[in-house]
């Protein structure tokens, strides 16, 4: 659809998209308007990457998108080396398809290099040549897997008196590594404390791409998150100064506008959703793509509620959507699910939230647990 053919609504100029169109389009591209029957690997590939700071959350993210998804599907993908867990977007842990990791990691490497120069690492790496540190790290890992603790201890043998954990972490940021499959297996709601790493080329049995085109990153992002601004792309990837990159691709992209007359980019043939499409209740995991894919997140969450979901900026709490927008948070409490709406819900919405929570409970609760689902407060 050419931007000049997008129908105007409520006096809006052709080519200018309402927030509701952006909402429904994002939900459609994220498989949140209706669960897909695509294999989990295809869904993960479409999404480019899923944040996996805590191992269990990507499983919930796939459950809410893929019909009939089971825990062992993702565990098998990790064991069979079709999916890897590693540091990627925004210097955080993600699950990425093995083939995608080979081009994605080199493209976001500048972000990781910047993180490795942060004050947290500066004291321990002061006076060291990064190339020498990286070379020893690669030598120690060549053909083998080491725990982060083991890698740090061996680095300290060469540079006594320094913090081995931070030396190992600096090497892991600058050199592509993958975590062992057990690190991403189902069963942990918190950060794993014991992580073993392998050089990515050794684990994948293929080299990383030497010079992947930035066009790949832009097109893949827009397929899953567009239409979007340059600022949105930068917020998702962690990269900066992408205006020139996107401008260089402009002739092959669709150019649109949002309600605030900001320039949006999209793939030329990517469909835009009907704003009247019903959006079912969906439960999202912590750190879900939908809440981290844009600089302006008002297409799915208000600024007021964003502060409740992302306290302090480091955490993104698990949420649930009602009519396509974040209306509350939830948590697993042993065998129970606890739901915390941000305000009163209509009776029909409340019933729909409870029904979807009932479907989620057997997936996240310990096996054999009796249904235990409740709102934290009475919202009638």
């Amino acid at each position: 659809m050419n931007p000049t053919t997008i129908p105007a609504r409520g006096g809006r100029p052709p080519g200018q998209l309402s927030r509701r169109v952006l909402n429904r389009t994002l939900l459609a591209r994220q498989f949140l308007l209706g669960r897909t029957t695509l294999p989990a690997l295809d869904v993960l590939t479409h999404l480019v990457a899923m944040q996996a700071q805590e191992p269990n959350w990507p499983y919930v993210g796939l459950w809410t998108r893929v019909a009939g998804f089971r825990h062992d599907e993702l565990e098998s993908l990790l064991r069979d080396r079709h999916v890897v867990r590693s540091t990627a977007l925004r210097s955080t842990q993600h699950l990425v398809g093995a083939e995608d990791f080979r081009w994605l990691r080199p493209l976001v490497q500048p972000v990781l290099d910047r993180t490795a120069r942060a004050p947290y690492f500066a004291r321990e790496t002061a006076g060291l040549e990064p190339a020498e540190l990286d070379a020893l790290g690669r030598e120690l890992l060549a053909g083998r897997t080491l725990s982060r603790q083991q890698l740090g201890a061996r680095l300290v043998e060469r540079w006594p008196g320094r913090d081995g954990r931070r030396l190992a972490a600096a090497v892991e940021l600058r050199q592509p590594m993958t975590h062992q499959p057990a690190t991403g297996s189902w069963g942990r709601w918190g950060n794993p404390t014991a992580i073993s790493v392998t050089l990515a080329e050794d684990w994948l049995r293929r080299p990383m791409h030497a010079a992947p085109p930035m066009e790949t990153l832009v097109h893949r992002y827009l397929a899953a998150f567009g239409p979007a601004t340059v600022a949105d792309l930068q917020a998702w990837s962690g990269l900066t100064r992408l205006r020139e990159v996107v401008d260089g691709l402009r002739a092959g992209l669709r150019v649109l506008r949002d309600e605030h007359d900001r320039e949006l980019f999209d793939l030329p043939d990517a469909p835009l959703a009907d704003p009247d499409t019903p959006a079912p209740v969906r439960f999202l995991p912590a750190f879900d793509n939908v809440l981290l894919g844009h600089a302006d997140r008002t297409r799915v969450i208000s600024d007021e509620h964003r502060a409740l979901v992302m306290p302090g900026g480091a955490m993104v709490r698990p949420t649930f959507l009602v009519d396509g927008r974040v209306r509350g948070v939830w948590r697993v409490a042993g065998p129970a699910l606890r739901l915390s709406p941000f305000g009163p819900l209509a009776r029909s919405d409340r019933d729909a939230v409870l029904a979807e929570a009932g479907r989620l409970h057997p997936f996240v609760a310990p096996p054999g647990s009796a249904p235990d689902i409740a709102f934290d407060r009475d919202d009638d």
Side-chain angles (χ1 to χ4, degrees), residues 89-243:
L89 301 169
R90 305 180 299 277
S91 297
T92 55
Q93 309 307 313
H94 280 73
L95 296 186
V96 188
E99 288 304 311
D100 283 340
F101 186 71
R102 295 175 60 222
W103 64 261
L104 179 62
R105 173 63 186 249
L107 283 181
V108 300
Q109 189 59 50
V111 182
L112 278 63
D113 290 342
R114 185 170 67 240
T115 301
R117 296 191 296 270
Y120 178 81
F121 299 100
R123 188 178 72 84
E124 301 305 326
T125 59
L128 301 183
E129 286 293 333
E132 185 179 1
L133 176 60
D134 293 350
L136 180 56
R138 291 186 63 85
E139 178 184 334
L140 293 170
L141 283 166
R144 63 175 67 90
T145 296
L146 295 176
S147 69
R148 284 174 169 171
Q149 184 178 8
Q150 290 171 324
L151 177 59
R154 296 190 184 187
L155 292 170
V156 169
E157 291 175 5
R158 171 66 177 81
W159 292 288
R162 299 178 188 255
D163 187 328
R165 295 170 303 170
R166 298 194 186 187
L167 293 181
V171 175
E172 188 177 342
L173 283 167
R174 287 197 295 266
Q175 298 298 310
M177 299 180 193
T178 62
H179 300 169
Q180 287 299 290
T183 307
S185 62
W186 173 260
R188 299 182 187 88
W189 294 109
N191 290 328
T193 56
I195 294 177
S196 294
V197 294
T198 307
L199 292 175
E201 297 95 328
D202 291 345
W203 181 254
L204 298 174
R205 304 184 182 117
R206 293 182 297 282
M208 306 298 284
H209 285 290
M214 189 65 74
E215 179 179 355
T216 300
L217 182 75
V218 175
H219 284 181
R220 292 287 299 278
Y221 168 75
L222 292 177
F225 295 91
T229 66
V230 173
D232 292 331
L233 172 60
Q234 293 181 158
W236 170 79
S237 66
L239 293 164
T240 58
R241 301 179 181 178
L242 294 182
R243 166 59 66 179

Side-chain angles (χ1 to χ4, degrees), residues 15-337:
Q16 189 178 73
L17 304 183
S18 69
R19 184 179 296 168
R20 190 171 173 88
V21 169
L22 292 175
N23 172 270
R24 292 307 195 257
T25 299
L26 176 62
L27 297 181
R29 297 188 190 185
Q30 291 281 319
F31 304 108
L32 293 171
L33 288 183
R35 286 184 170 88
T36 181
T37 57
L38 288 172
L41 179 57
D42 290 356
V43 172
L44 177 57
T45 297
H46 173 75
L47 299 176
V48 186
M50 297 185 74
Q51 189 153 335
Q53 204 77 7
E54 300 181 17
N56 280 358
W57 292 121
Y59 290 81
V60 177
L62 289 170
W63 176 88
T64 207
R65 291 171 166 89
V66 180
F69 175 75
R70 305 183 314 276
H71 302 102
D72 61 2
E73 291 182 63
L74 181 52
E75 290 177 329
S76 294
L77 291 171
L78 287 162
R79 287 194 305 269
D80 295 342
R81 310 186 190 212
H82 296 308
V83 170
V84 298
R85 184 180 192 268
S86 183
T87 311
L89 301 169
R90 305 180 299 277
S91 297
T92 55
Q93 309 307 313
H94 280 73
L95 296 186
V96 188
E99 288 304 311
D100 283 340
F101 186 71
R102 295 175 60 222
W103 64 261
L104 179 62
R105 173 63 186 249
L107 283 181
V108 300
Q109 189 59 50
V111 182
L112 278 63
D113 290 342
R114 185 170 67 240
T115 301
R117 296 191 296 270
Y120 178 81
F121 299 100
R123 188 178 72 84
E124 301 305 326
T125 59
L128 301 183
E129 286 293 333
E132 185 179 1
L133 176 60
D134 293 350
L136 180 56
R138 291 186 63 85
E139 178 184 334
L140 293 170
L141 283 166
R144 63 175 67 90
T145 296
L146 295 176
S147 69
R148 284 174 169 171
Q149 184 178 8
Q150 290 171 324
L151 177 59
R154 296 190 184 187
L155 292 170
V156 169
E157 291 175 5
R158 171 66 177 81
W159 292 288
R162 299 178 188 255
D163 187 328
R165 295 170 303 170
R166 298 194 186 187
L167 293 181
V171 175
E172 188 177 342
L173 283 167
R174 287 197 295 266
Q175 298 298 310
M177 299 180 193
T178 62
H179 300 169
Q180 287 299 290
T183 307
S185 62
W186 173 260
R188 299 182 187 88
W189 294 109
N191 290 328
T193 56
I195 294 177
S196 294
V197 294
T198 307
L199 292 175
E201 297 95 328
D202 291 345
W203 181 254
L204 298 174
R205 304 184 182 117
R206 293 182 297 282
M208 306 298 284
H209 285 290
M214 189 65 74
E215 179 179 355
T216 300
L217 182 75
V218 175
H219 284 181
R220 292 287 299 278
Y221 168 75
L222 292 177
F225 295 91
T229 66
V230 173
D232 292 331
L233 172 60
Q234 293 181 158
W236 170 79
S237 66
L239 293 164
T240 58
R241 301 179 181 178
L242 294 182
R243 166 59 66 179
E244 184 176 346
V245 172
V246 176
D247 281 344
L249 301 173
R250 180 183 291 268
L253 299 175
R254 181 194 304 174
V255 182
L256 304 159
R257 295 274 172 178
D258 68 8
E259 292 177 337
H260 304 287
D261 205 35
R262 290 175 295 203
E263 196 171 48
L264 301 169
F265 295 91
D266 202 7
L267 299 180
D269 298 320
L272 298 170
D274 185 332
D276 296 327
T277 303
V281 168
R282 287 290 182 257
F283 278 73
L284 301 180
F287 305 104
D288 192 79
N289 290 336
V290 166
L291 296 183
L292 291 170
H294 302 85
D296 179 2
R297 299 166 188 174
T298 56
R299 66 183 71 189
V300 291
I301 186 171
S302 69
D303 289 335
E304 175 189 5
H305 292 159
R306 180 174 173 174
L308 300 174
V309 171
M310 306 173 190
M315 179 61 187
V316 182
R317 301 170 69 187
T319 59
F320 58 83
L321 306 179
V322 176
D323 191 29
R325 297 189 61 79
V326 174
R327 293 290 302 278
V329 296
W330 62 279
R331 70 187 193 279
V332 178
L337 284 187

